[in-house]
Structures are given as structure tokens and as C-alpha cells.
Short mmCIF file of all heavy atoms in Angstrom, two decimals:
data_model
loop_
_atom_site.label_atom_id
_atom_site.label_comp_id
_atom_site.label_asym_id
_atom_site.label_seq_id
_atom_site.Cartn_x
_atom_site.Cartn_y
_atom_site.Cartn_z
N MET A 144 -150.40 31.96 140.91
CA MET A 144 -151.55 31.68 140.10
C MET A 144 -152.79 31.68 140.98
O MET A 144 -152.82 31.05 142.03
CB MET A 144 -151.37 30.30 139.45
CG MET A 144 -152.52 29.89 138.56
SD MET A 144 -152.18 28.34 137.71
CE MET A 144 -152.91 27.19 138.87
N THR A 145 -153.83 32.39 140.56
CA THR A 145 -155.08 32.46 141.30
C THR A 145 -156.24 32.21 140.36
O THR A 145 -156.26 32.74 139.26
CB THR A 145 -155.24 33.84 141.97
OG1 THR A 145 -154.12 34.09 142.81
CG2 THR A 145 -156.50 33.92 142.80
N ALA A 146 -157.20 31.42 140.77
CA ALA A 146 -158.40 31.17 139.98
C ALA A 146 -159.62 31.20 140.88
O ALA A 146 -159.57 30.70 142.00
CB ALA A 146 -158.30 29.81 139.29
N GLU A 147 -160.71 31.81 140.41
CA GLU A 147 -161.94 31.87 141.20
C GLU A 147 -163.00 30.97 140.58
O GLU A 147 -163.25 31.05 139.38
CB GLU A 147 -162.49 33.30 141.26
CG GLU A 147 -161.75 34.16 142.26
CD GLU A 147 -162.44 35.48 142.50
OE1 GLU A 147 -163.62 35.46 142.88
OE2 GLU A 147 -161.78 36.51 142.31
N THR A 148 -163.59 30.10 141.40
CA THR A 148 -164.68 29.25 140.94
C THR A 148 -165.68 29.08 142.07
O THR A 148 -165.30 28.83 143.21
CB THR A 148 -164.19 27.86 140.50
OG1 THR A 148 -163.35 27.33 141.52
CG2 THR A 148 -163.45 27.89 139.19
N ARG A 149 -166.95 29.25 141.73
CA ARG A 149 -168.04 29.02 142.70
C ARG A 149 -167.76 29.68 144.05
O ARG A 149 -167.85 29.04 145.09
CB ARG A 149 -168.30 27.54 142.89
CG ARG A 149 -168.77 26.88 141.62
CD ARG A 149 -169.23 25.47 141.90
NE ARG A 149 -169.30 24.74 140.65
CZ ARG A 149 -168.64 23.61 140.41
NH1 ARG A 149 -167.89 23.08 141.32
NH2 ARG A 149 -168.74 23.04 139.25
N ASN A 150 -167.43 30.94 144.03
CA ASN A 150 -167.19 31.71 145.25
C ASN A 150 -166.02 31.20 146.07
O ASN A 150 -165.92 31.48 147.25
CB ASN A 150 -168.45 31.76 146.13
CG ASN A 150 -169.60 32.44 145.41
OD1 ASN A 150 -169.39 33.36 144.63
ND2 ASN A 150 -170.80 31.98 145.65
N GLN A 151 -165.14 30.43 145.44
CA GLN A 151 -163.92 30.00 146.11
C GLN A 151 -162.74 30.41 145.27
O GLN A 151 -162.83 30.51 144.06
CB GLN A 151 -163.92 28.50 146.36
CG GLN A 151 -164.96 28.07 147.36
CD GLN A 151 -164.61 26.75 148.01
OE1 GLN A 151 -164.05 25.87 147.39
NE2 GLN A 151 -164.93 26.63 149.27
N VAL A 152 -161.64 30.67 145.93
CA VAL A 152 -160.43 31.11 145.26
C VAL A 152 -159.36 30.03 145.43
O VAL A 152 -159.13 29.57 146.55
CB VAL A 152 -159.92 32.44 145.86
CG1 VAL A 152 -158.66 32.90 145.17
CG2 VAL A 152 -161.00 33.51 145.78
N THR A 153 -158.74 29.63 144.32
CA THR A 153 -157.64 28.67 144.39
C THR A 153 -156.35 29.42 144.05
O THR A 153 -156.26 30.06 143.01
CB THR A 153 -157.85 27.53 143.38
OG1 THR A 153 -159.08 26.87 143.69
CG2 THR A 153 -156.70 26.52 143.45
N THR A 154 -155.39 29.34 144.96
CA THR A 154 -154.11 30.01 144.77
C THR A 154 -153.00 28.99 144.94
O THR A 154 -153.04 28.17 145.86
CB THR A 154 -153.92 31.15 145.79
OG1 THR A 154 -155.07 31.99 145.77
CG2 THR A 154 -152.69 31.99 145.46
N VAL A 155 -152.01 29.03 144.05
CA VAL A 155 -150.87 28.11 144.14
C VAL A 155 -149.64 28.92 144.55
O VAL A 155 -149.31 29.93 143.94
CB VAL A 155 -150.61 27.40 142.79
CG1 VAL A 155 -149.43 26.46 142.91
CG2 VAL A 155 -151.87 26.65 142.34
N TYR A 156 -149.01 28.46 145.63
CA TYR A 156 -147.81 29.12 146.16
C TYR A 156 -146.60 28.22 145.96
O TYR A 156 -146.73 26.99 145.92
CB TYR A 156 -147.97 29.39 147.66
CG TYR A 156 -149.09 30.36 147.98
CD1 TYR A 156 -150.33 29.89 148.37
CD2 TYR A 156 -148.90 31.73 147.89
CE1 TYR A 156 -151.36 30.77 148.66
CE2 TYR A 156 -149.92 32.61 148.17
CZ TYR A 156 -151.15 32.13 148.56
OH TYR A 156 -152.17 33.01 148.85
N GLN A 157 -145.44 28.83 145.88
CA GLN A 157 -144.18 28.10 145.82
C GLN A 157 -143.53 28.19 147.20
O GLN A 157 -143.32 29.29 147.70
CB GLN A 157 -143.26 28.70 144.75
CG GLN A 157 -142.07 27.85 144.41
CD GLN A 157 -142.46 26.56 143.69
OE1 GLN A 157 -143.34 26.54 142.86
NE2 GLN A 157 -141.79 25.47 144.03
N VAL A 158 -143.22 27.04 147.79
CA VAL A 158 -142.61 26.99 149.12
C VAL A 158 -141.29 26.25 149.01
O VAL A 158 -141.21 25.18 148.41
CB VAL A 158 -143.55 26.29 150.13
CG1 VAL A 158 -142.87 26.11 151.48
CG2 VAL A 158 -144.85 27.07 150.28
N THR A 159 -140.24 26.82 149.58
CA THR A 159 -138.93 26.17 149.53
C THR A 159 -138.65 25.46 150.84
O THR A 159 -139.10 25.89 151.91
CB THR A 159 -137.81 27.19 149.24
OG1 THR A 159 -137.82 28.19 150.25
CG2 THR A 159 -138.01 27.84 147.88
N GLY A 160 -137.93 24.34 150.74
CA GLY A 160 -137.48 23.61 151.91
C GLY A 160 -138.26 22.35 152.22
O GLY A 160 -137.85 21.56 153.07
N MET A 161 -139.39 22.12 151.56
CA MET A 161 -140.16 20.90 151.82
C MET A 161 -139.47 19.73 151.13
O MET A 161 -139.14 19.82 149.95
CB MET A 161 -141.60 21.02 151.29
CG MET A 161 -142.45 22.03 151.98
SD MET A 161 -144.19 21.91 151.49
CE MET A 161 -144.12 22.18 149.71
N THR A 162 -139.27 18.63 151.88
CA THR A 162 -138.59 17.47 151.29
C THR A 162 -139.34 16.15 151.49
O THR A 162 -138.94 15.15 150.91
CB THR A 162 -137.18 17.31 151.91
OG1 THR A 162 -137.32 17.18 153.32
CG2 THR A 162 -136.29 18.51 151.59
N CYS A 163 -140.39 16.15 152.30
CA CYS A 163 -141.05 14.87 152.60
C CYS A 163 -142.51 15.08 153.01
O CYS A 163 -142.99 16.20 153.10
CB CYS A 163 -140.30 14.17 153.73
SG CYS A 163 -140.36 15.08 155.29
N GLY A 164 -143.16 13.98 153.30
CA GLY A 164 -144.55 14.01 153.73
C GLY A 164 -144.75 14.79 155.01
O GLY A 164 -145.77 15.47 155.19
N HIS A 165 -143.80 14.70 155.93
CA HIS A 165 -143.90 15.46 157.19
C HIS A 165 -143.91 16.95 156.89
O HIS A 165 -144.67 17.71 157.48
CB HIS A 165 -142.75 15.11 158.13
CG HIS A 165 -142.72 15.96 159.35
ND1 HIS A 165 -143.58 15.77 160.41
CD2 HIS A 165 -141.96 17.04 159.66
CE1 HIS A 165 -143.34 16.71 161.33
NE2 HIS A 165 -142.37 17.48 160.89
N CYS A 166 -143.06 17.37 155.96
CA CYS A 166 -143.01 18.78 155.56
C CYS A 166 -144.35 19.22 155.00
O CYS A 166 -144.87 20.29 155.35
CB CYS A 166 -141.93 19.00 154.49
SG CYS A 166 -140.27 18.51 154.95
N GLU A 167 -144.91 18.39 154.11
CA GLU A 167 -146.21 18.70 153.52
C GLU A 167 -147.27 18.88 154.60
O GLU A 167 -148.06 19.82 154.55
CB GLU A 167 -146.64 17.57 152.57
CG GLU A 167 -145.77 17.42 151.35
CD GLU A 167 -146.06 16.17 150.56
OE1 GLU A 167 -146.76 15.26 151.06
OE2 GLU A 167 -145.57 16.08 149.43
N GLY A 168 -147.26 17.99 155.58
CA GLY A 168 -148.23 18.06 156.66
C GLY A 168 -148.08 19.29 157.52
O GLY A 168 -149.06 19.92 157.92
N ALA A 169 -146.83 19.65 157.81
CA ALA A 169 -146.57 20.83 158.64
C ALA A 169 -147.06 22.10 157.95
O ALA A 169 -147.73 22.94 158.56
CB ALA A 169 -145.08 20.93 158.97
N VAL A 170 -146.74 22.24 156.67
CA VAL A 170 -147.15 23.42 155.91
C VAL A 170 -148.68 23.44 155.77
O VAL A 170 -149.32 24.47 156.00
CB VAL A 170 -146.47 23.45 154.52
CG1 VAL A 170 -147.07 24.51 153.63
CG2 VAL A 170 -144.97 23.70 154.69
N SER A 171 -149.27 22.31 155.43
CA SER A 171 -150.72 22.22 155.27
C SER A 171 -151.43 22.58 156.57
O SER A 171 -152.42 23.32 156.56
CB SER A 171 -151.14 20.82 154.83
OG SER A 171 -150.65 20.55 153.55
N SER A 172 -150.93 22.07 157.67
CA SER A 172 -151.54 22.33 158.97
C SER A 172 -151.54 23.81 159.32
O SER A 172 -152.55 24.37 159.75
CB SER A 172 -150.81 21.53 160.05
OG SER A 172 -151.35 21.81 161.32
N GLU A 173 -150.41 24.47 159.12
CA GLU A 173 -150.30 25.90 159.44
C GLU A 173 -151.20 26.74 158.55
O GLU A 173 -151.89 27.64 159.01
CB GLU A 173 -148.85 26.37 159.36
CG GLU A 173 -147.97 25.86 160.47
CD GLU A 173 -148.35 26.36 161.86
OE1 GLU A 173 -148.96 27.44 161.98
OE2 GLU A 173 -148.03 25.66 162.83
N ILE A 174 -151.18 26.47 157.24
CA ILE A 174 -152.00 27.26 156.31
C ILE A 174 -153.49 27.01 156.56
O ILE A 174 -154.31 27.92 156.44
CB ILE A 174 -151.61 26.98 154.85
CG1 ILE A 174 -150.18 27.49 154.59
CG2 ILE A 174 -152.59 27.64 153.88
CD1 ILE A 174 -149.64 27.18 153.21
N SER A 175 -153.84 25.79 156.94
CA SER A 175 -155.24 25.46 157.23
C SER A 175 -155.81 26.30 158.36
O SER A 175 -157.02 26.50 158.45
CB SER A 175 -155.40 23.98 157.58
OG SER A 175 -155.13 23.19 156.45
N GLY A 176 -154.93 26.81 159.21
CA GLY A 176 -155.36 27.63 160.34
C GLY A 176 -155.73 29.06 159.97
O GLY A 176 -156.27 29.80 160.79
N ILE A 177 -155.48 29.46 158.74
CA ILE A 177 -155.83 30.81 158.29
C ILE A 177 -157.33 30.87 158.04
O ILE A 177 -157.90 29.99 157.39
CB ILE A 177 -155.07 31.19 157.00
CG1 ILE A 177 -153.56 31.17 157.24
CG2 ILE A 177 -155.52 32.57 156.50
CD1 ILE A 177 -152.73 31.34 155.98
N GLU A 178 -157.97 31.89 158.55
CA GLU A 178 -159.42 32.04 158.41
C GLU A 178 -159.81 32.07 156.94
O GLU A 178 -159.20 32.75 156.13
CB GLU A 178 -159.88 33.33 159.08
CG GLU A 178 -161.38 33.47 159.12
CD GLU A 178 -161.84 34.69 159.90
OE1 GLU A 178 -161.09 35.19 160.74
OE2 GLU A 178 -162.97 35.13 159.63
N GLY A 179 -160.82 31.27 156.60
CA GLY A 179 -161.34 31.24 155.24
C GLY A 179 -160.77 30.13 154.38
O GLY A 179 -161.28 29.85 153.29
N VAL A 180 -159.70 29.47 154.83
CA VAL A 180 -159.09 28.38 154.05
C VAL A 180 -159.97 27.14 154.16
O VAL A 180 -160.34 26.73 155.25
CB VAL A 180 -157.65 28.09 154.53
CG1 VAL A 180 -157.11 26.82 153.88
CG2 VAL A 180 -156.74 29.27 154.23
N THR A 181 -160.30 26.56 152.99
CA THR A 181 -161.15 25.37 152.99
C THR A 181 -160.38 24.10 152.67
O THR A 181 -160.78 23.02 153.06
CB THR A 181 -162.33 25.52 152.02
OG1 THR A 181 -161.83 25.82 150.72
CG2 THR A 181 -163.26 26.64 152.46
N SER A 182 -159.24 24.21 151.93
CA SER A 182 -158.40 23.04 151.70
C SER A 182 -156.99 23.47 151.33
O SER A 182 -156.78 24.56 150.80
CB SER A 182 -158.99 22.12 150.63
OG SER A 182 -158.77 22.64 149.33
N VAL A 183 -156.05 22.58 151.66
CA VAL A 183 -154.63 22.82 151.34
C VAL A 183 -154.04 21.52 150.84
O VAL A 183 -154.25 20.46 151.44
CB VAL A 183 -153.84 23.27 152.60
CG1 VAL A 183 -152.39 23.53 152.25
CG2 VAL A 183 -154.47 24.49 153.25
N GLU A 184 -153.29 21.59 149.74
CA GLU A 184 -152.58 20.42 149.24
C GLU A 184 -151.14 20.83 148.97
O GLU A 184 -150.88 21.65 148.09
CB GLU A 184 -153.23 19.89 147.96
CG GLU A 184 -152.54 18.65 147.45
CD GLU A 184 -153.15 18.11 146.16
OE1 GLU A 184 -153.87 18.85 145.47
OE2 GLU A 184 -152.89 16.94 145.86
N ALA A 185 -150.22 20.27 149.74
CA ALA A 185 -148.80 20.57 149.58
C ALA A 185 -148.10 19.39 148.91
O ALA A 185 -148.39 18.23 149.23
CB ALA A 185 -148.16 20.83 150.94
N LYS A 186 -147.23 19.69 147.98
CA LYS A 186 -146.45 18.66 147.27
C LYS A 186 -144.96 18.97 147.44
O LYS A 186 -144.45 19.93 146.86
CB LYS A 186 -146.79 18.66 145.77
CG LYS A 186 -148.22 18.31 145.47
CD LYS A 186 -148.44 16.84 145.54
CE LYS A 186 -149.83 16.48 145.08
NZ LYS A 186 -150.18 15.14 145.45
N ALA A 187 -144.27 18.16 148.24
CA ALA A 187 -142.84 18.38 148.48
C ALA A 187 -142.04 18.26 147.19
O ALA A 187 -141.07 18.99 146.99
CB ALA A 187 -142.32 17.41 149.53
N ALA A 188 -142.42 17.36 146.31
CA ALA A 188 -141.66 17.11 145.09
C ALA A 188 -141.55 18.35 144.20
O ALA A 188 -140.53 18.57 143.55
CB ALA A 188 -142.28 15.96 144.30
N THR A 189 -142.61 19.16 144.19
CA THR A 189 -142.61 20.36 143.34
C THR A 189 -142.46 21.65 144.14
O THR A 189 -142.17 22.70 143.58
CB THR A 189 -143.93 20.46 142.55
OG1 THR A 189 -145.02 20.56 143.49
CG2 THR A 189 -144.12 19.26 141.64
N GLY A 190 -142.69 21.56 145.46
CA GLY A 190 -142.65 22.75 146.30
C GLY A 190 -143.90 23.59 146.18
O GLY A 190 -143.98 24.69 146.70
N ARG A 191 -144.91 23.05 145.51
CA ARG A 191 -146.14 23.81 145.29
C ARG A 191 -147.19 23.48 146.36
O ARG A 191 -147.35 22.32 146.73
CB ARG A 191 -146.71 23.54 143.91
CG ARG A 191 -145.82 24.14 142.84
CD ARG A 191 -146.38 23.97 141.46
NE ARG A 191 -145.45 24.56 140.52
CZ ARG A 191 -145.77 25.50 139.66
NH1 ARG A 191 -146.99 25.92 139.57
NH2 ARG A 191 -144.86 26.00 138.85
N VAL A 192 -147.86 24.53 146.80
CA VAL A 192 -148.93 24.38 147.78
C VAL A 192 -150.18 25.02 147.18
O VAL A 192 -150.19 26.21 146.89
CB VAL A 192 -148.57 25.06 149.11
CG1 VAL A 192 -149.69 24.88 150.13
CG2 VAL A 192 -147.26 24.50 149.67
N THR A 193 -151.21 24.20 146.98
CA THR A 193 -152.47 24.68 146.41
C THR A 193 -153.43 24.94 147.55
O THR A 193 -153.72 24.05 148.35
CB THR A 193 -153.06 23.65 145.43
OG1 THR A 193 -152.08 23.38 144.41
CG2 THR A 193 -154.33 24.16 144.79
N VAL A 194 -153.91 26.18 147.62
CA VAL A 194 -154.79 26.59 148.71
C VAL A 194 -156.13 27.02 148.14
O VAL A 194 -156.18 27.86 147.23
CB VAL A 194 -154.19 27.76 149.52
CG1 VAL A 194 -155.10 28.16 150.68
CG2 VAL A 194 -152.80 27.41 150.03
N VAL A 195 -157.23 26.45 148.65
CA VAL A 195 -158.57 26.87 148.28
C VAL A 195 -159.14 27.62 149.47
O VAL A 195 -159.10 27.14 150.60
CB VAL A 195 -159.46 25.66 147.91
CG1 VAL A 195 -160.87 26.11 147.54
CG2 VAL A 195 -158.83 24.86 146.77
N SER A 196 -159.66 28.83 149.19
CA SER A 196 -160.19 29.66 150.27
C SER A 196 -161.48 30.34 149.82
O SER A 196 -161.79 30.39 148.63
CB SER A 196 -159.15 30.71 150.69
OG SER A 196 -158.75 31.48 149.57
N GLN A 197 -162.19 30.88 150.80
CA GLN A 197 -163.47 31.53 150.51
C GLN A 197 -163.28 32.91 149.89
O GLN A 197 -164.19 33.45 149.27
CB GLN A 197 -164.28 31.64 151.79
CG GLN A 197 -164.65 30.28 152.35
CD GLN A 197 -165.21 30.35 153.76
OE1 GLN A 197 -165.08 31.36 154.44
NE2 GLN A 197 -165.82 29.27 154.20
N ALA A 198 -162.10 33.49 150.05
CA ALA A 198 -161.78 34.81 149.50
C ALA A 198 -160.27 34.86 149.30
O ALA A 198 -159.54 34.05 149.87
CB ALA A 198 -162.23 35.90 150.48
N PRO A 199 -159.79 35.80 148.48
CA PRO A 199 -158.33 35.92 148.33
C PRO A 199 -157.65 36.10 149.69
O PRO A 199 -158.16 36.80 150.56
CB PRO A 199 -158.17 37.18 147.47
CG PRO A 199 -159.46 37.27 146.72
CD PRO A 199 -160.51 36.78 147.68
N LEU A 200 -156.53 35.43 149.86
CA LEU A 200 -155.80 35.48 151.13
C LEU A 200 -154.75 36.59 151.12
O LEU A 200 -154.19 36.91 150.08
CB LEU A 200 -155.11 34.15 151.40
CG LEU A 200 -156.01 32.94 151.56
CD1 LEU A 200 -155.17 31.68 151.68
CD2 LEU A 200 -156.92 33.09 152.77
N ASP A 201 -154.48 37.11 152.30
CA ASP A 201 -153.39 38.06 152.46
C ASP A 201 -152.09 37.26 152.37
O ASP A 201 -151.87 36.34 153.16
CB ASP A 201 -153.52 38.75 153.82
CG ASP A 201 -152.34 39.66 154.13
OD1 ASP A 201 -151.78 40.25 153.19
OD2 ASP A 201 -151.99 39.76 155.32
N GLU A 202 -151.25 37.59 151.40
CA GLU A 202 -150.02 36.82 151.21
C GLU A 202 -149.13 36.85 152.45
O GLU A 202 -148.44 35.89 152.74
CB GLU A 202 -149.24 37.32 149.99
CG GLU A 202 -148.10 36.38 149.65
CD GLU A 202 -147.52 36.59 148.27
OE1 GLU A 202 -148.29 36.67 147.30
OE2 GLU A 202 -146.29 36.66 148.18
N GLU A 203 -149.18 37.93 153.21
CA GLU A 203 -148.37 38.00 154.44
C GLU A 203 -148.85 36.99 155.48
O GLU A 203 -148.06 36.44 156.24
CB GLU A 203 -148.35 39.42 155.01
CG GLU A 203 -147.48 40.36 154.19
CD GLU A 203 -146.07 39.82 153.92
OE1 GLU A 203 -145.38 39.41 154.87
OE2 GLU A 203 -145.67 39.79 152.74
N ALA A 204 -150.16 36.73 155.52
CA ALA A 204 -150.69 35.71 156.44
C ALA A 204 -150.20 34.33 156.03
O ALA A 204 -149.83 33.51 156.88
CB ALA A 204 -152.21 35.77 156.45
N VAL A 205 -150.18 34.08 154.72
CA VAL A 205 -149.69 32.80 154.21
C VAL A 205 -148.19 32.69 154.50
O VAL A 205 -147.71 31.65 154.96
CB VAL A 205 -149.97 32.64 152.70
CG1 VAL A 205 -149.39 31.34 152.17
CG2 VAL A 205 -151.47 32.71 152.43
N ARG A 206 -147.47 33.76 154.27
CA ARG A 206 -146.02 33.78 154.54
C ARG A 206 -145.74 33.48 156.01
O ARG A 206 -144.87 32.69 156.34
CB ARG A 206 -145.43 35.15 154.16
CG ARG A 206 -143.91 35.21 154.27
CD ARG A 206 -143.36 36.55 153.78
NE ARG A 206 -143.77 36.88 152.42
CZ ARG A 206 -143.24 36.36 151.32
NH1 ARG A 206 -142.27 35.46 151.41
NH2 ARG A 206 -143.68 36.72 150.13
N ALA A 207 -146.52 34.08 156.91
CA ALA A 207 -146.34 33.86 158.35
C ALA A 207 -146.62 32.40 158.72
O ALA A 207 -145.90 31.81 159.53
CB ALA A 207 -147.23 34.80 159.15
N ALA A 208 -147.65 31.81 158.11
CA ALA A 208 -148.00 30.42 158.40
C ALA A 208 -146.89 29.48 157.92
O ALA A 208 -146.49 28.55 158.63
CB ALA A 208 -149.33 30.06 157.75
N VAL A 209 -146.39 29.73 156.71
CA VAL A 209 -145.31 28.90 156.15
C VAL A 209 -144.05 29.04 157.01
O VAL A 209 -143.37 28.06 157.31
CB VAL A 209 -145.05 29.27 154.68
CG1 VAL A 209 -143.79 28.58 154.16
CG2 VAL A 209 -146.25 28.90 153.82
N ASP A 210 -143.77 30.26 157.43
CA ASP A 210 -142.61 30.52 158.29
C ASP A 210 -142.75 29.79 159.62
O ASP A 210 -141.79 29.21 160.13
CB ASP A 210 -142.48 32.04 158.51
CG ASP A 210 -141.20 32.40 159.26
OD1 ASP A 210 -140.11 32.09 158.74
OD2 ASP A 210 -141.31 32.99 160.35
N GLU A 211 -143.95 29.80 160.18
CA GLU A 211 -144.22 29.12 161.45
C GLU A 211 -143.96 27.62 161.32
O GLU A 211 -143.50 26.97 162.25
CB GLU A 211 -145.67 29.37 161.87
CG GLU A 211 -146.06 28.78 163.19
CD GLU A 211 -145.38 29.40 164.40
OE1 GLU A 211 -144.99 30.59 164.35
OE2 GLU A 211 -145.19 28.69 165.41
N ALA A 212 -144.23 27.08 160.13
CA ALA A 212 -144.00 25.65 159.88
C ALA A 212 -142.51 25.36 159.66
O ALA A 212 -142.10 24.20 159.64
CB ALA A 212 -144.80 25.19 158.67
N GLY A 213 -141.71 26.41 159.46
CA GLY A 213 -140.27 26.22 159.29
C GLY A 213 -139.78 26.24 157.86
O GLY A 213 -138.68 25.77 157.56
N TYR A 214 -140.59 26.78 156.96
CA TYR A 214 -140.24 26.83 155.55
C TYR A 214 -140.35 28.25 155.04
O TYR A 214 -140.72 29.15 155.77
CB TYR A 214 -141.15 25.86 154.76
CG TYR A 214 -141.08 24.48 155.36
CD1 TYR A 214 -141.99 24.07 156.31
CD2 TYR A 214 -140.04 23.62 155.04
CE1 TYR A 214 -141.88 22.82 156.92
CE2 TYR A 214 -139.92 22.38 155.63
CZ TYR A 214 -140.85 21.99 156.58
OH TYR A 214 -140.72 20.77 157.18
N GLU A 215 -140.04 28.45 153.76
CA GLU A 215 -140.03 29.80 153.21
C GLU A 215 -140.96 29.90 152.01
O GLU A 215 -140.91 29.08 151.10
CB GLU A 215 -138.62 30.19 152.77
CG GLU A 215 -138.53 31.61 152.28
CD GLU A 215 -137.11 32.00 151.89
OE1 GLU A 215 -136.15 31.30 152.28
OE2 GLU A 215 -136.97 33.01 151.20
N LEU A 216 -141.84 30.91 152.06
CA LEU A 216 -142.73 31.17 150.95
C LEU A 216 -141.98 31.98 149.90
O LEU A 216 -141.50 33.08 150.17
CB LEU A 216 -143.96 31.96 151.42
CG LEU A 216 -144.97 32.34 150.35
CD1 LEU A 216 -145.65 31.08 149.81
CD2 LEU A 216 -145.99 33.31 150.90
N ALA A 217 -141.85 31.42 148.68
CA ALA A 217 -141.15 32.11 147.61
C ALA A 217 -142.11 33.04 146.87
O ALA A 217 -141.67 33.94 146.17
CB ALA A 217 -140.55 31.10 146.65
N GLY A 218 -143.41 32.83 147.03
CA GLY A 218 -144.42 33.66 146.36
C GLY A 218 -145.42 32.78 145.65
O GLY A 218 -145.43 31.56 145.82
N GLN A 219 -146.26 33.40 144.85
CA GLN A 219 -147.22 32.63 144.10
C GLN A 219 -146.52 31.92 142.94
O GLN A 219 -145.59 32.45 142.37
CB GLN A 219 -148.34 33.53 143.56
CG GLN A 219 -149.27 34.00 144.66
CD GLN A 219 -150.52 34.67 144.11
OE1 GLN A 219 -150.92 34.44 142.99
NE2 GLN A 219 -151.14 35.49 144.92
N ALA A 220 -146.97 30.71 142.66
CA ALA A 220 -146.35 29.91 141.60
C ALA A 220 -146.88 30.33 140.24
O ALA A 220 -147.93 30.89 140.13
CB ALA A 220 -146.62 28.43 141.84
#
């Protein structure tokens, strides 16, 4: 799911393997390092990660960041 508002893009991704707050932090930290990302909110309970960025993100960059954190990007939610 992607939505554009006020020159920002909000995209929701589905990530598998997150089970706790530490997982949320690891995923958020890695995705926050992608250029243009302004906020990340990860929810282990649903596996959803909401990313706000200045422009649409390359899904492969998001996949690489999630992989670096030790989890798997299932795709956009």
C-alpha cells in the first residue's frame, strides 16, 4: 500500500520474523538508513512496517535493509 501526501510517500510493507520490540527496533534502524526515509514504524504483532519517505523507495533497497536486520520482506502490505 502506498499513499502520497504533502510531497511525502507512505508505504506499508509486510515483514516476517519480527516477534518483539527488539525486532521492531532492528528493522526500523536499518530502514531509517535508506536515503529519503523520514520515519519508520514497525509493529511486530502485525508484521507491518510503515515507512514515510520523500519519494517512492526502491523495494530492493528496503529488502536489503530488512535482510541486514535479519528478517524477510514479504512485499508491500
Side-chain angles (χ1 to χ4, degrees):
M144 180 174 93
T145 303
E147 281 191 56
T148 49
R149 297 189 197 123
N150 299 326
Q151 293 203 324
V152 180
T153 301
T154 309
V155 180
Y156 297 98
Q157 192 68 39
V158 175
T159 59
M161 294 190 300
T162 58
C163 64
H165 173 77
C166 302
E167 294 170 346
V170 169
S171 295
S172 177
E173 289 295 335
I174 293 176
S175 292
I177 299 172
E178 187 175 338
V180 171
T181 56
S182 77
V183 181
E184 182 181 19
K186 297 281 186 195
T189 61
R191 290 183 181 236
V192 181
T193 303
V194 181
V195 179
S196 56
Q197 296 168 345
L200 297 174
D201 174 33
E202 190 165 311
E203 286 309 308
V205 177
R206 186 175 305 282
V209 171
D210 187 60
E211 182 67 27
Y214 305 94
E215 184 178 344
L216 178 68
Q219 288 191 23

